């Protein structure tokens, strides 16, 4: 087994208009060894969020990952079906958004929102999932 948990190779993501292709991520490469953390820094609009969203295959139209590989535990996430990605996202790999006001819904408690991942991936009921999220 490899010591690299995540390897991104030549990742390319573009946004398409009727007349143009805008390259948002163009040839990004990095690897993250098991047990290590990678910080991605850059000015606003430099592609940090688009890179992260591309890794998780959360790019929405008119955007599209147009090339590269995203190897998570040796498997290319870009080749997975959407059903396979739903099982991986939030269970094996997640993204923590920078702005909590755009990530968390103020109508629900934090426990309810974190508990949703336990309901989906560990098949806990609502009450059990909230208890579990409080423990975390």
């Amino acid at each position: 087994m490899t010591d690299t948990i995540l390897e991104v190779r030549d990742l390319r993501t573009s946004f398409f208009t009727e007349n143009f292709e805008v390259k948002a991520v163009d040839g990004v490469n990095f690897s993250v060894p098991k047990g290590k953390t990678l910080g991605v820094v850059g000015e606003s609009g430099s592609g940090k969020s688009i890179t992260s969203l591309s890794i998780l295959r959360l790019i929405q139209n008119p955007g599209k990952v147009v090339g590269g590989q995203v190897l998570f535990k040796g498997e290319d996430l870009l080749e997975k079906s959407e059903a396979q990605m739903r099982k991986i996202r939030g269970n094996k790999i997640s993204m923590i958004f920078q702005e909590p006001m755009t990530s968390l819904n103020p109508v629900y408690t934090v426990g309810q929102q974190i508990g949703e991942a336990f309901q989906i991936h560990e098949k806990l009921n609502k009450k059990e999932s909230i208890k579990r999220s409080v423990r975390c």
Side-chain angles (χ1 to χ4, degrees):
M1 187 165 148
T2 179
D3 287 337
T4 301
I5 193 148
L6 178 67
E7 184 173 0
V8 176
R9 297 179 183 165
D10 195 30
L11 182 63
R12 297 183 315 277
T13 302
S14 293
F15 288 83
F16 296 90
T17 68
E18 192 172 302
N19 300 315
F20 299 101
E21 174 185 0
V22 178
K23 296 178 180 182
V25 175
D26 191 15
V28 169
N29 295 284
F30 63 84
S31 63
V32 181
K34 189 174 182 178
K36 298 293 181 181
T37 303
L38 172 72
V40 180
V41 297
E43 60 188 54
S44 180
S46 64
K48 303 177 300 292
S49 294
I50 297 301
T51 298
S52 299
L53 291 168
S54 297
I55 290 167
L56 292 173
R57 299 221 350 246
L58 292 172
I59 295 295
Q60 297 180 349
N61 278 338
K64 183 178 180 184
V65 176
V66 295
Q69 290 182 301
V70 176
L71 303 173
F72 178 65
K73 296 183 176 181
E75 295 185 36
D76 193 348
L77 296 182
L78 300 181
E79 295 179 356
K80 301 281 184 192
S81 70
E82 185 56 35
Q84 290 171 315
M85 284 303 298
R86 278 193 298 275
K87 291 179 181 177
I88 294 168
R89 279 190 224 110
N91 189 25
K92 305 284 184 192
I93 187 170
S94 300
M95 179 174 173
I96 301 170
F97 293 92
Q98 184 174 351
E99 283 295 326
M101 290 304 290
T102 60
S103 307
L104 298 174
N105 186 333
V107 175
Y108 300 102
T109 68
V110 173
Q112 288 171 316
Q113 293 174 74
I114 293 171
E116 184 177 18
F118 295 124
Q119 289 174 340
I120 293 169
H121 296 292
E122 296 186 18
K123 309 297 185 215
L124 298 180
N125 67 37
K126 191 173 186 177
K127 188 174 182 178
E128 292 170 330
S129 67
I130 292 172
K131 283 182 183 178
R132 175 83 182 271
S133 58
V134 169
R135 283 193 318 231
C136 292

PDB file of all heavy atoms in Angstrom, residues 63-89:
ATOM      1  N   GLY A  63     -19.155  24.646 -15.397  1.00  0.00           N
ATOM      2  CA  GLY A  63     -17.807  24.147 -15.157  1.00  0.00           C
ATOM      3  C   GLY A  63     -17.693  22.664 -15.428  1.00  0.00           C
ATOM      4  O   GLY A  63     -18.681  21.930 -15.371  1.00  0.00           O
ATOM      5  N   LYS A  64     -16.453  22.237 -15.691  1.00  0.00           N
ATOM      6  CA  LYS A  64     -16.208  20.814 -15.954  1.00  0.00           C
ATOM      7  C   LYS A  64     -14.731  20.510 -15.729  1.00  0.00           C
ATOM      8  O   LYS A  64     -13.866  21.270 -16.148  1.00  0.00           O
ATOM      9  CB  LYS A  64     -16.584  20.478 -17.392  1.00  0.00           C
ATOM     10  CG  LYS A  64     -16.422  19.018 -17.738  1.00  0.00           C
ATOM     11  CD  LYS A  64     -16.850  18.725 -19.161  1.00  0.00           C
ATOM     12  CE  LYS A  64     -16.645  17.240 -19.417  1.00  0.00           C
ATOM     13  NZ  LYS A  64     -16.931  16.877 -20.789  1.00  0.00           N
ATOM     14  N   VAL A  65     -14.466  19.395 -15.062  1.00  0.00           N
ATOM     15  CA  VAL A  65     -13.094  18.891 -14.974  1.00  0.00           C
ATOM     16  C   VAL A  65     -12.781  18.312 -16.350  1.00  0.00           C
ATOM     17  O   VAL A  65     -13.457  17.389 -16.804  1.00  0.00           O
ATOM     18  CB  VAL A  65     -12.940  17.825 -13.869  1.00  0.00           C
ATOM     19  CG1 VAL A  65     -11.528  17.252 -13.877  1.00  0.00           C
ATOM     20  CG2 VAL A  65     -13.275  18.408 -12.507  1.00  0.00           C
ATOM     21  N   VAL A  66     -11.778  18.879 -17.011  1.00  0.00           N
ATOM     22  CA  VAL A  66     -11.495  18.482 -18.394  1.00  0.00           C
ATOM     23  C   VAL A  66     -10.269  17.586 -18.527  1.00  0.00           C
ATOM     24  O   VAL A  66      -9.985  17.081 -19.620  1.00  0.00           O
ATOM     25  CB  VAL A  66     -11.352  19.712 -19.327  1.00  0.00           C
ATOM     26  CG1 VAL A  66     -12.677  20.446 -19.432  1.00  0.00           C
ATOM     27  CG2 VAL A  66     -10.251  20.642 -18.847  1.00  0.00           C
ATOM     28  N   GLY A  67      -9.549  17.358 -17.426  1.00  0.00           N
ATOM     29  CA  GLY A  67      -8.405  16.469 -17.531  1.00  0.00           C
ATOM     30  C   GLY A  67      -7.694  16.273 -16.212  1.00  0.00           C
ATOM     31  O   GLY A  67      -7.944  16.959 -15.225  1.00  0.00           O
ATOM     32  N   GLY A  68      -6.812  15.294 -16.215  1.00  0.00           N
ATOM     33  CA  GLY A  68      -6.005  15.003 -15.050  1.00  0.00           C
ATOM     34  C   GLY A  68      -6.480  13.772 -14.306  1.00  0.00           C
ATOM     35  O   GLY A  68      -7.368  13.039 -14.769  1.00  0.00           O
ATOM     36  N   GLN A  69      -5.862  13.559 -13.163  1.00  0.00           N
ATOM     37  CA  GLN A  69      -6.216  12.441 -12.293  1.00  0.00           C
ATOM     38  C   GLN A  69      -6.273  12.936 -10.859  1.00  0.00           C
ATOM     39  O   GLN A  69      -5.496  13.796 -10.453  1.00  0.00           O
ATOM     40  CB  GLN A  69      -5.169  11.337 -12.362  1.00  0.00           C
ATOM     41  CG  GLN A  69      -5.112  10.570 -13.653  1.00  0.00           C
ATOM     42  CD  GLN A  69      -4.065   9.477 -13.570  1.00  0.00           C
ATOM     43  OE1 GLN A  69      -2.888   9.742 -13.332  1.00  0.00           O
ATOM     44  NE2 GLN A  69      -4.504   8.234 -13.762  1.00  0.00           N
ATOM     45  N   VAL A  70      -7.194  12.359 -10.100  1.00  0.00           N
ATOM     46  CA  VAL A  70      -7.298  12.596  -8.663  1.00  0.00           C
ATOM     47  C   VAL A  70      -7.265  11.224  -8.015  1.00  0.00           C
ATOM     48  O   VAL A  70      -8.274  10.516  -7.987  1.00  0.00           O
ATOM     49  CB  VAL A  70      -8.585  13.360  -8.300  1.00  0.00           C
ATOM     50  CG1 VAL A  70      -8.705  13.493  -6.787  1.00  0.00           C
ATOM     51  CG2 VAL A  70      -8.610  14.724  -8.963  1.00  0.00           C
ATOM     52  N   LEU A  71      -6.103  10.837  -7.527  1.00  0.00           N
ATOM     53  CA  LEU A  71      -5.924   9.515  -6.943  1.00  0.00           C
ATOM     54  C   LEU A  71      -6.093   9.591  -5.429  1.00  0.00           C
ATOM     55  O   LEU A  71      -5.284  10.204  -4.737  1.00  0.00           O
ATOM     56  CB  LEU A  71      -4.553   8.957  -7.299  1.00  0.00           C
ATOM     57  CG  LEU A  71      -4.251   8.865  -8.797  1.00  0.00           C
ATOM     58  CD1 LEU A  71      -2.813   8.459  -9.030  1.00  0.00           C
ATOM     59  CD2 LEU A  71      -5.206   7.901  -9.473  1.00  0.00           C
ATOM     60  N   PHE A  72      -7.155   8.989  -4.939  1.00  0.00           N
ATOM     61  CA  PHE A  72      -7.418   8.909  -3.511  1.00  0.00           C
ATOM     62  C   PHE A  72      -7.251   7.456  -3.104  1.00  0.00           C
ATOM     63  O   PHE A  72      -7.978   6.579  -3.586  1.00  0.00           O
ATOM     64  CB  PHE A  72      -8.830   9.414  -3.191  1.00  0.00           C
ATOM     65  CG  PHE A  72      -9.193   9.312  -1.743  1.00  0.00           C
ATOM     66  CD1 PHE A  72      -8.524  10.055  -0.792  1.00  0.00           C
ATOM     67  CD2 PHE A  72     -10.195   8.467  -1.324  1.00  0.00           C
ATOM     68  CE1 PHE A  72      -8.851   9.964   0.548  1.00  0.00           C
ATOM     69  CE2 PHE A  72     -10.539   8.360   0.006  1.00  0.00           C
ATOM     70  CZ  PHE A  72      -9.856   9.111   0.944  1.00  0.00           C
ATOM     71  N   LYS A  73      -6.258   7.202  -2.269  1.00  0.00           N
ATOM     72  CA  LYS A  73      -5.911   5.830  -1.871  1.00  0.00           C
ATOM     73  C   LYS A  73      -5.679   4.963  -3.106  1.00  0.00           C
ATOM     74  O   LYS A  73      -6.068   3.805  -3.160  1.00  0.00           O
ATOM     75  CB  LYS A  73      -6.985   5.226  -0.968  1.00  0.00           C
ATOM     76  CG  LYS A  73      -7.138   5.954   0.352  1.00  0.00           C
ATOM     77  CD  LYS A  73      -8.164   5.271   1.234  1.00  0.00           C
ATOM     78  CE  LYS A  73      -8.253   5.942   2.576  1.00  0.00           C
ATOM     79  NZ  LYS A  73      -9.223   5.288   3.462  1.00  0.00           N
ATOM     80  N   GLY A  74      -5.083   5.566  -4.128  1.00  0.00           N
ATOM     81  CA  GLY A  74      -4.717   4.845  -5.340  1.00  0.00           C
ATOM     82  C   GLY A  74      -5.809   4.714  -6.386  1.00  0.00           C
ATOM     83  O   GLY A  74      -5.559   4.207  -7.475  1.00  0.00           O
ATOM     84  N   GLU A  75      -7.027   5.174  -6.088  1.00  0.00           N
ATOM     85  CA  GLU A  75      -8.137   5.064  -7.033  1.00  0.00           C
ATOM     86  C   GLU A  75      -8.481   6.443  -7.592  1.00  0.00           C
ATOM     87  O   GLU A  75      -8.585   7.412  -6.840  1.00  0.00           O
ATOM     88  CB  GLU A  75      -9.362   4.469  -6.357  1.00  0.00           C
ATOM     89  CG  GLU A  75      -9.154   3.034  -5.897  1.00  0.00           C
ATOM     90  CD  GLU A  75     -10.430   2.427  -5.346  1.00  0.00           C
ATOM     91  OE1 GLU A  75     -11.526   2.731  -5.863  1.00  0.00           O
ATOM     92  OE2 GLU A  75     -10.320   1.655  -4.376  1.00  0.00           O
ATOM     93  N   ASP A  76      -8.689   6.518  -8.908  1.00  0.00           N
ATOM     94  CA  ASP A  76      -8.971   7.791  -9.564  1.00  0.00           C
ATOM     95  C   ASP A  76     -10.427   8.183  -9.341  1.00  0.00           C
ATOM     96  O   ASP A  76     -11.343   7.547  -9.864  1.00  0.00           O
ATOM     97  CB  ASP A  76      -8.665   7.692 -11.062  1.00  0.00           C
ATOM     98  CG  ASP A  76      -8.641   9.050 -11.746  1.00  0.00           C
ATOM     99  OD1 ASP A  76      -9.079  10.058 -11.133  1.00  0.00           O
ATOM    100  OD2 ASP A  76      -8.173   9.107 -12.896  1.00  0.00           O
ATOM    101  N   LEU A  77     -10.637   9.259  -8.571  1.00  0.00           N
ATOM    102  CA  LEU A  77     -11.989   9.729  -8.287  1.00  0.00           C
ATOM    103  C   LEU A  77     -12.695  10.240  -9.534  1.00  0.00           C
ATOM    104  O   LEU A  77     -13.928  10.225  -9.604  1.00  0.00           O
ATOM    105  CB  LEU A  77     -11.960  10.836  -7.225  1.00  0.00           C
ATOM    106  CG  LEU A  77     -11.455  10.441  -5.838  1.00  0.00           C
ATOM    107  CD1 LEU A  77     -11.538  11.628  -4.891  1.00  0.00           C
ATOM    108  CD2 LEU A  77     -12.218   9.250  -5.287  1.00  0.00           C
ATOM    109  N   LEU A  78     -11.929  10.671 -10.527  1.00  0.00           N
ATOM    110  CA  LEU A  78     -12.543  11.197 -11.744  1.00  0.00           C
ATOM    111  C   LEU A  78     -13.168  10.088 -12.592  1.00  0.00           C
ATOM    112  O   LEU A  78     -13.948  10.369 -13.494  1.00  0.00           O
ATOM    113  CB  LEU A  78     -11.522  11.984 -12.568  1.00  0.00           C
ATOM    114  CG  LEU A  78     -10.909  13.193 -11.866  1.00  0.00           C
ATOM    115  CD1 LEU A  78      -9.940  13.907 -12.793  1.00  0.00           C
ATOM    116  CD2 LEU A  78     -11.976  14.148 -11.360  1.00  0.00           C
ATOM    117  N   GLU A  79     -12.844   8.848 -12.292  1.00  0.00           N
ATOM    118  CA  GLU A  79     -13.412   7.710 -13.021  1.00  0.00           C
ATOM    119  C   GLU A  79     -14.588   7.065 -12.294  1.00  0.00           C
ATOM    120  O   GLU A  79     -15.217   6.151 -12.813  1.00  0.00           O
ATOM    121  CB  GLU A  79     -12.330   6.663 -13.291  1.00  0.00           C
ATOM    122  CG  GLU A  79     -11.241   7.162 -14.225  1.00  0.00           C
ATOM    123  CD  GLU A  79     -10.159   6.127 -14.481  1.00  0.00           C
ATOM    124  OE1 GLU A  79     -10.198   5.037 -13.869  1.00  0.00           O
ATOM    125  OE2 GLU A  79      -9.268   6.416 -15.287  1.00  0.00           O
ATOM    126  N   LYS A  80     -14.884   7.533 -11.091  1.00  0.00           N
ATOM    127  CA  LYS A  80     -15.977   6.959 -10.298  1.00  0.00           C
ATOM    128  C   LYS A  80     -17.327   7.458 -10.801  1.00  0.00           C
ATOM    129  O   LYS A  80     -17.456   8.573 -11.301  1.00  0.00           O
ATOM    130  CB  LYS A  80     -15.833   7.342  -8.817  1.00  0.00           C
ATOM    131  CG  LYS A  80     -14.545   6.890  -8.171  1.00  0.00           C
ATOM    132  CD  LYS A  80     -14.627   5.440  -7.824  1.00  0.00           C
ATOM    133  CE  LYS A  80     -13.376   5.003  -7.078  1.00  0.00           C
ATOM    134  NZ  LYS A  80     -13.303   3.559  -6.989  1.00  0.00           N
ATOM    135  N   SER A  81     -18.344   6.641 -10.628  1.00  0.00           N
ATOM    136  CA  SER A  81     -19.707   7.060 -10.950  1.00  0.00           C
ATOM    137  C   SER A  81     -20.184   8.031  -9.867  1.00  0.00           C
ATOM    138  O   SER A  81     -19.597   8.111  -8.779  1.00  0.00           O
ATOM    139  CB  SER A  81     -20.634   5.851 -11.002  1.00  0.00           C
ATOM    140  OG  SER A  81     -20.822   5.323  -9.695  1.00  0.00           O
ATOM    141  N   GLU A  82     -21.269   8.716 -10.135  1.00  0.00           N
ATOM    142  CA  GLU A  82     -21.822   9.636  -9.144  1.00  0.00           C
ATOM    143  C   GLU A  82     -22.279   8.872  -7.898  1.00  0.00           C
ATOM    144  O   GLU A  82     -22.098   9.336  -6.778  1.00  0.00           O
ATOM    145  CB  GLU A  82     -22.973  10.454  -9.741  1.00  0.00           C
ATOM    146  CG  GLU A  82     -23.511  11.498  -8.802  1.00  0.00           C
ATOM    147  CD  GLU A  82     -22.482  12.486  -8.265  1.00  0.00           C
ATOM    148  OE1 GLU A  82     -21.536  12.843  -8.997  1.00  0.00           O
ATOM    149  OE2 GLU A  82     -22.617  12.893  -7.088  1.00  0.00           O
ATOM    150  N   ALA A  83     -22.837   7.703  -8.077  1.00  0.00           N
ATOM    151  CA  ALA A  83     -23.261   6.886  -6.929  1.00  0.00           C
ATOM    152  C   ALA A  83     -22.057   6.493  -6.070  1.00  0.00           C
ATOM    153  O   ALA A  83     -22.130   6.531  -4.837  1.00  0.00           O
ATOM    154  CB  ALA A  83     -23.998   5.643  -7.413  1.00  0.00           C
ATOM    155  N   GLN A  84     -20.954   6.128  -6.706  1.00  0.00           N
ATOM    156  CA  GLN A  84     -19.742   5.787  -5.964  1.00  0.00           C
ATOM    157  C   GLN A  84     -19.204   7.013  -5.223  1.00  0.00           C
ATOM    158  O   GLN A  84     -18.757   6.908  -4.077  1.00  0.00           O
ATOM    159  CB  GLN A  84     -18.669   5.237  -6.913  1.00  0.00           C
ATOM    160  CG  GLN A  84     -18.997   3.877  -7.471  1.00  0.00           C
ATOM    161  CD  GLN A  84     -18.036   3.458  -8.570  1.00  0.00           C
ATOM    162  OE1 GLN A  84     -17.692   4.233  -9.468  1.00  0.00           O
ATOM    163  NE2 GLN A  84     -17.590   2.208  -8.504  1.00  0.00           N
ATOM    164  N   MET A  85     -19.262   8.181  -5.862  1.00  0.00           N
ATOM    165  CA  MET A  85     -18.771   9.407  -5.216  1.00  0.00           C
ATOM    166  C   MET A  85     -19.615   9.776  -4.007  1.00  0.00           C
ATOM    167  O   MET A  85     -19.082  10.251  -3.012  1.00  0.00           O
ATOM    168  CB  MET A  85     -18.740  10.570  -6.219  1.00  0.00           C
ATOM    169  CG  MET A  85     -17.590  10.512  -7.204  1.00  0.00           C
ATOM    170  SD  MET A  85     -15.955  10.448  -6.420  1.00  0.00           S
ATOM    171  CE  MET A  85     -15.903  11.992  -5.521  1.00  0.00           C
ATOM    172  N   ARG A  86     -20.914   9.553  -4.059  1.00  0.00           N
ATOM    173  CA  ARG A  86     -21.769   9.852  -2.906  1.00  0.00           C
ATOM    174  C   ARG A  86     -21.375   9.016  -1.696  1.00  0.00           C
ATOM    175  O   ARG A  86     -21.478   9.468  -0.559  1.00  0.00           O
ATOM    176  CB  ARG A  86     -23.244   9.630  -3.261  1.00  0.00           C
ATOM    177  CG  ARG A  86     -23.868  10.805  -3.991  1.00  0.00           C
ATOM    178  CD  ARG A  86     -25.387  10.710  -4.048  1.00  0.00           C
ATOM    179  NE  ARG A  86     -25.860   9.540  -4.758  1.00  0.00           N
ATOM    180  CZ  ARG A  86     -26.024   9.465  -6.069  1.00  0.00           C
ATOM    181  NH1 ARG A  86     -25.767  10.496  -6.817  1.00  0.00           N
ATOM    182  NH2 ARG A  86     -26.465   8.353  -6.632  1.00  0.00           N
ATOM    183  N   LYS A  87     -20.903   7.797  -1.925  1.00  0.00           N
ATOM    184  CA  LYS A  87     -20.459   6.943  -0.822  1.00  0.00           C
ATOM    185  C   LYS A  87     -19.115   7.391  -0.263  1.00  0.00           C
ATOM    186  O   LYS A  87     -18.810   7.145   0.905  1.00  0.00           O
ATOM    187  CB  LYS A  87     -20.372   5.490  -1.286  1.00  0.00           C
ATOM    188  CG  LYS A  87     -21.715   4.873  -1.565  1.00  0.00           C
ATOM    189  CD  LYS A  87     -21.584   3.444  -2.044  1.00  0.00           C
ATOM    190  CE  LYS A  87     -22.944   2.854  -2.346  1.00  0.00           C
ATOM    191  NZ  LYS A  87     -22.858   1.495  -2.874  1.00  0.00           N
ATOM    192  N   ILE A  88     -18.307   8.025  -1.084  1.00  0.00           N
ATOM    193  CA  ILE A  88     -16.967   8.472  -0.677  1.00  0.00           C
ATOM    194  C   ILE A  88     -17.023   9.833   0.002  1.00  0.00           C
ATOM    195  O   ILE A  88     -16.410  10.040   1.053  1.00  0.00           O
ATOM    196  CB  ILE A  88     -16.029   8.514  -1.910  1.00  0.00           C
ATOM    197  CG1 ILE A  88     -15.799   7.096  -2.448  1.00  0.00           C
ATOM    198  CG2 ILE A  88     -14.701   9.201  -1.568  1.00  0.00           C
ATOM    199  CD1 ILE A  88     -15.127   7.042  -3.807  1.00  0.00           C
ATOM    200  N   ARG A  89     -17.769  10.781  -0.599  1.00  0.00           N
ATOM    201  CA  ARG A  89     -17.859  12.146  -0.060  1.00  0.00           C
ATOM    202  C   ARG A  89     -18.502  12.133   1.318  1.00  0.00           C
ATOM    203  O   ARG A  89     -19.558  11.545   1.513  1.00  0.00           O
ATOM    204  CB  ARG A  89     -18.708  13.033  -0.961  1.00  0.00           C
ATOM    205  CG  ARG A  89     -18.002  13.581  -2.136  1.00  0.00           C
ATOM    206  CD  ARG A  89     -18.884  14.643  -2.812  1.00  0.00           C
ATOM    207  NE  ARG A  89     -18.838  14.449  -4.239  1.00  0.00           N
ATOM    208  CZ  ARG A  89     -19.834  14.017  -4.992  1.00  0.00           C
ATOM    209  NH1 ARG A  89     -20.996  13.722  -4.472  1.00  0.00           N
ATOM    210  NH2 ARG A  89     -19.676  13.883  -6.283  1.00  0.00           N
TER     211      ARG A  89
END
